């Protein structure tokens, strides 16, 4: 793809019985720099946005995209779904089609004595959804305040923060299976949620396009205040009996104090997952490093990857355009002008040095394209 090529704009209209005309534009050779929070400048061969399920269906039956759906590469290599681009590392130009999900809408669909079921379009900004819940006194997602991204991407890695994961309030989702072209519903069980994982990152990777998610939110709230930082923040504010809004505000303040704002410094949050290891591994490392940070997690122990990276000497490191954030070693940053390959190269050096020092292989959380 040459930079000298002017973007070619193709527009087509599709009329469906009883619905308005949907105008859809498919652009060619579009820069994705403003569509990923690392701010990496690569091009998409084709790029289109959709605001409704009808538009998505129309797009998938457009000649440019059909070509790719029918190719051997099919869904996995030729269609890239994009939300807010806050958990991807674009290492090269994207061949095929990038589809940006902009389906909006937040609606209460059901209510009983204890719970309110709220359906949100996949393109709704996650934090705006959290604020809607706080505003309507619906509990369960307040600890997940200020996580960047869209509602539609939230089940992909089962987003989590401060003792809460998406799976705790997730009820169901609706998605298009692009292999069979059928609409499918997934229950909480169907999603096979795990730590920063779901069926959409494993068996069904790249196969479904999520268009809406329904949440089961509380009327009688159970606050999750176990994280020391939340307690400290509430104490600082002199709050003894917090509301969900207080918890949301506390989480926002904590996050702002240590995570870089992608609008100022390119990043994708934690670059690696926190490794879960056996008690034997914890004991082995503690013989040399008695201050190892670890927490019981299921059958094993979750280590703080940020601690491992800091101990390996990377915190605050800078090399050209890229670096390891000075306030949180688990976050790799683009100081401006970095390529995806440079960020990837730094991540591999960090991975190798943590492996050499502790015998632990860090697994990336970020999705590589
Ligand atoms: P994208 O980056 O656009 O996409 C991520 C993946 O999901 C891609 O593989 C994409 O193809 C796929 N995808 C996106 N939308 C759809 C869809 N509708 N259907 C099917 N596939 C889709 N994450 C946490 O869990 N906890 C945190 O505390 C946290 N903090 C962060 C802090 C910062 C500063 C940043 C930059 C990121 C942080 N993240 C965190 C990571 C990120 O916010 C989440 O992973 C978020 O859910 C990504 O949403 P997105 O819309 O940007 O997804
Ligand atoms: N630590 C260090 N040095 C560092 C960073 C962390 O020693 O540079 C140690 C500290 O001891 C600290 C511990 O690691 O107490 C944990 O750090 P922090 O509370 O910042 O959380 P984290 O484990 O680094 C995880 C998630 C975050 C989430 C926070 C809060 C992962 C991979 N990351 O980070 O999620 O917001 O907990 O719950 O699980 C993301 O997924 O993108 C993300 C930001």
């Amino acid at each position: 793809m040459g930079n000298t090529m002017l973007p070619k704009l193709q527009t087509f209209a599709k009329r469906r019985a009883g619905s308005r005309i949907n105008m859809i534009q498919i652009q060619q050779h579009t820069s994705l720099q403003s569509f990923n929070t690392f701010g990496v400048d690569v091009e998409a061969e084709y790029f289109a946005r959709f605001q409704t399920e009808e538009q998505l269906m129309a797009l998938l039956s457009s000649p440019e995209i059909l070509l790719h759906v029918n190719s051997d590469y099919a869904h996995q290599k030729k269609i890239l779904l994009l939300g807010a681009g806050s958990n991807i590392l674009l290492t090269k130009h994207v061949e095929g089609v990038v589809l940006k999900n902009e389906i909006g809408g937040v609606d209460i669909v059901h209510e009983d004595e204890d719970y309110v079921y709220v359906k949100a379009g996949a393109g709704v900004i996650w934090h705006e959804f959290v604020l809607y819940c706080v505003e309507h006194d619906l509990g369960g997602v307040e600890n997940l305040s200020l996580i960047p991204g869209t509602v539609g991407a939230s089940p992909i890695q089962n987003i989590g923060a401060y003792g809460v994961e998406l799976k705790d309030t997730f009820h169901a989702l609706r998605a298009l299976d692009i292999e069979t072209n059928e609409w499918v519903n997934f229950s909480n069980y169907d999603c096979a949620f795990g730590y920063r994982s779901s069926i959409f990152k494993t068996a069904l990777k790249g196969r479904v396009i999520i268009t809406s998610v329904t949440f089961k939110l509380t009327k009688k709230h159970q606050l999750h205040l176990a994280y020391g930082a939340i307690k400290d923040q509430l104490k600082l504010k002199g709050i003894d009996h917090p509301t969900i809004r207080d918890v949301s505000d506390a989480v926002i303040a904590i996050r702002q104090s240590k995570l870089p704002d992608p609008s100022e410094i390119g990043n994708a949050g934690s670059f690696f997952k926190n490794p879960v290891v056996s008690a034997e591994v914890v004991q082995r490392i503690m013989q040399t490093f008695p201050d190892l940070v670890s927490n019981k997690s299921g059958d094993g122990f979750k280590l703080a990857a940020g601690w491992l990276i800091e101990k390996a000497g990377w915190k605050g490191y800078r090399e050209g355009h890229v670096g390891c954030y000075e306030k949180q070693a688990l976050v790799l940053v683009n100081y401006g002008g970095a390529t995806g390959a440079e960020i990837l190269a730094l991540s591999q050096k960090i991975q190798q040095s943590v492996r050499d020092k502790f015998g632990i292989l860090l697994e990336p959380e970020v999705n590589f394209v």
Side-chain angles (χ1 to χ4, degrees), residues 86-87 147 157 160-164 195-196 227 255 258-259 268-274 293 295 302-311 315 325-331 365:
S86 64
N87 206 24
I147 296 181
Q157 72 159 11
Y162 301 102
V164 170
Y195 165 58
R196 296 295 188 274
Y227 255 74
R255 295 183 68 96
K258 62 178 173 186
L259 289 168
S270 301
F271 195 90
F272 300 101
K273 295 183 190 180
N274 285 325
V293 179
N295 288 298
K302 196 184 269 185
L303 306 185
W307 184 92
L308 297 171
I309 296 170
E310 182 176 346
K311 285 284 169 187
K315 194 169 184 174
Y325 193 54
E326 75 260 16
K327 293 187 201 164
Q328 226 298 358
L330 195 43
V331 179
E365 176 193 298

Side-chain angles (χ1 to χ4, degrees), residues 35-38 82 84-90 148-149 153 156-157 159 196 201 267-271 364-369:
F35 299 116
N36 71 97
T37 59
F38 260 126
L82 205 56
S86 64
N87 206 24
I88 54 166
L89 178 62
L90 299 166
I156 304 284
Q157 72 159 11
I159 56 169
R196 296 295 188 274
K201 256 192 133 174
N267 77 94
S270 301
F271 195 90
E365 176 193 298
V366 170
N367 300 281
F368 296 161
V369 178

Side-chain angles (χ1 to χ4, degrees), residues 104-112 115-121 129 132-133 136 138 169-174 185 212-217 219:
V106 179
D107 299 294
I108 293 177
V109 289
H110 180 68
E111 191 170 343
D112 59 30
Y115 298 102
V116 178
Y117 295 76
V118 179
K119 179 178 166 183
F129 170 69
Y132 168 96
C133 296
H136 291 78
L138 303 174
T169 51
F170 176 96
H171 179 64
L173 66 76
R174 177 173 153 89
N185 294 308
S212 67
V213 182
T214 304
F215 300 85
K216 183 180 172 182
L217 300 155
K219 290 182 176 178

